[in-house]
Amino acid sequence: MNRSLLVQQLDALLTDEHNFIANLANASALLYDEIHDINWSGFYLYDESTSSLELGPFQGKVACMHIKPGSGVCGTAFETQTIQRIANVHEFPGHIACDSASNSEIVLPLTKDSKKIGVLDIDSPSPERFSEADQKELADFVNVLLEHL
């Protein structure tokens, strides 16, 4: 497979690293530094004890700390296990506005060996920021991240 530079950077960054939280922190920092026109990148991790997605490592402004599965873009991606690429978050039913500057969003579920781990969430201040090509690259990014877990 022909991997993008971003995905190659992630693979190199996480090789021989085994700390789950540190790997997510560096992955969110890599995304925040390398993807133009975004204002937030990070993870929400599923906590079985609270039955909710809890804020994990991220880069950007302060964020919502708890999201119920099925709520907003993140909760929908987690519950349906499908990528949510939203051109205008203000038109998404039940959108949770953690940062009013965000106008578009892409959320990818994180699942390994049938275990739902959480989601990768990336926000942009620009409407229609995320393309199909971005979605494919980010899906590859998530696959590489999951290989290192």
Side-chain angles (χ1 to χ4, degrees):
M1 175 196 287
N2 193 11
R3 290 188 165 159
S4 71
L5 179 58
L6 178 69
V7 174
Q8 291 176 48
Q9 287 174 307
L10 178 70
D11 194 33
L13 183 64
L14 301 186
T15 295
D16 296 325
E17 296 297 335
H18 304 288
N19 183 296
F20 176 67
I21 296 299
N23 285 348
L24 294 181
N26 271 334
S28 65
L30 178 63
L31 290 167
Y32 196 76
D33 283 344
E34 296 297 323
I35 298 178
H36 74 282
D37 196 25
I38 64 171
N39 58 344
W40 202 91
S41 70
F43 297 91
Y44 283 93
L45 304 174
Y46 185 66
D47 183 337
E48 290 181 13
S49 69
T50 61
S51 298
S52 67
L53 292 164
E54 306 291 337
L55 181 63
F58 73 94
Q59 298 285 313
K61 292 183 179 181
V62 297
C64 299
M65 294 178 54
H66 316 281
I67 299 174
K68 290 291 181 193
S71 296
V73 181
C74 288
T76 298
F78 181 79
E79 186 172 83
T80 64
Q81 290 295 289
T82 59
I83 296 172
Q84 299 292 307
R85 181 167 42 101
I86 309 301
N88 181 347
V89 295
H90 307 292
E91 294 176 354
F92 189 88
H95 170 64
I96 301 167
C98 298
D99 180 358
S100 61
S102 294
N103 288 303
S104 63
E105 183 171 8
I106 188 166
V107 181
L108 299 93
L110 303 173
T111 303
K112 184 170 184 174
D113 300 327
S114 300
K115 181 177 180 178
K116 296 178 180 180
I117 298 167
V119 297
L120 165 60
D121 180 21
I122 305 173
D123 298 347
S124 172
S126 298
E128 300 182 34
R129 162 60 187 86
F130 302 103
S131 66
E132 189 173 327
D134 292 324
Q135 180 173 324
K136 287 178 182 174
E137 180 178 36
L138 290 168
D140 193 22
F141 186 94
V142 163
N143 288 334
V144 169
L145 176 65
L146 292 170
E147 287 172 11
H148 288 281
L149 295 184

